[in-house]
Amino acid sequence: KQSLTRLAAFVSGFSLAQLVISATYGVSELKRDLQAMYRRCGVRGESTLFLLTDQQIADERFLVYINDLLSSGEIPGLFPPEDVDEIVAQMRPLMKRERRFEGKADCWAAFLARVRAKLHVALSFSPVGEAMATRTRRFPALINCAVIDWFMPWPEEALVSVSKSFLAEVDLGTAQQHASVCAFMPFAFIEVDALSKRYLEQERRYNWTTPKSFLELISLFTSMLAQRRARGDAQILRYQTGVHKLATTAESVSVLEQQLQSKQQQVEEKRAQCDALVPRMAEQKDRA
């Protein structure tokens, strides 16, 4: 959804605006970003596409402003009075060029009209879970004032093409093995989708399968493959190190055995010399 939104913004010549969420991002920061988008569209007349994902809703109060934006285009209390006067002053030259009334209410209405014409909102929300249902009940403009883009299931040919593209740089063995893995990915995804439909019919519960799920399947496979290969390489290195140590130890033992044999020969020679010397010493003792 986000990729298609960015593509549509580029093709239409719109600038893309998104929230930069941080740990301290709150309602005041949202209002500041909305003020900047309103000024960009209403005063400067720039066509802007505001892309909002459900992960960027750090506070449910954000949806109060989004609901007002979608329903009427006017968010109460978004601008303080001094900013309203500044915007009205910036709008007066435009009103004069168009030969329209330059009153404060007229300038403000023209500003909001330009915002409605130039600012487009794209909501990239996931239907998984209860969050989407709860939000649409509390903020009906998310449904009533929006056009829903229905994404149809990907055909098997597209799934195979995506699988080949993402697995092109992954070492999967022979060409036949590579083709088999690329064909298995769409097969597994289609089978899960079919079982999800049966699950809905039998249990009345949803198991969502989306194109993102297919990409996550490929990502999970590649990450698990890398982990298994790393584990196997570590075990191979461990065994190779053990074999090398065994070979080194065997060589050291062989050298020690040779040295021991040499020492034993020297000991035998010294013992023989001692045995020969004992009778002579006894004879000399008797003479003495």
Side-chain angles (χ1 to χ4, degrees), residues 231-248:
R231 189 185 307 171
D233 292 341
Q235 291 178 348
I236 290 173
L237 179 61
R238 179 182 177 185
Y239 291 140
Q240 287 178 344
T241 303
V243 170
H244 177 70
K245 288 183 177 180
L246 289 174
T248 304

Side-chain angles (χ1 to χ4, degrees), residues 87-198:
I87 292 172
V88 169
Q90 293 173 340
M91 290 295 296
R92 282 203 170 99
L94 176 64
M95 302 292 285
K96 185 178 295 186
R97 287 196 302 269
E98 296 179 356
R99 297 182 179 181
R100 298 167 61 183
F101 291 108
E102 302 176 23
K104 181 177 180 179
D106 298 317
C107 291
W108 184 252
F111 169 75
L112 292 179
R114 295 190 75 185
V115 170
R116 295 187 189 101
K118 296 293 184 179
L119 179 60
H120 294 258
V121 181
L123 303 177
S124 179
F125 289 177
S126 173
V128 179
E130 295 295 328
M132 181 65 178
T134 303
R135 288 168 177 171
T136 52
R137 286 195 299 266
R138 295 178 58 190
F139 307 101
L142 297 177
I143 296 295
N144 299 335
C145 301
V147 178
I148 301 177
D149 291 329
W150 297 97
F151 288 84
M152 297 295 102
W154 285 5
E156 185 175 0
E157 295 79 6
L159 295 174
V160 172
S161 177
V162 171
S163 178
K164 290 181 179 179
S165 175
F166 276 84
L167 296 176
E169 303 298 328
V170 181
D171 182 15
L172 298 175
T174 63
Q176 182 178 2
Q177 292 172 338
H178 192 281
S180 299
V181 172
C182 292
F184 174 77
M185 293 296 174
F187 169 78
F189 183 74
I190 293 173
E191 286 297 312
V192 170
D193 189 44
L195 290 175
S196 298
K197 294 178 180 178
R198 290 176 52 190

Side-chain angles (χ1 to χ4, degrees), residues 253-270:
V253 170
S254 177
V255 172
L256 291 175
E257 288 179 347
Q258 294 178 359
Q259 293 178 353
L260 181 60
Q261 291 177 357
S262 176
K263 294 296 183 180
Q264 287 179 346
Q265 292 178 357
Q266 295 177 3
V267 169
E268 293 296 334
E269 291 177 357
K270 295 296 183 180

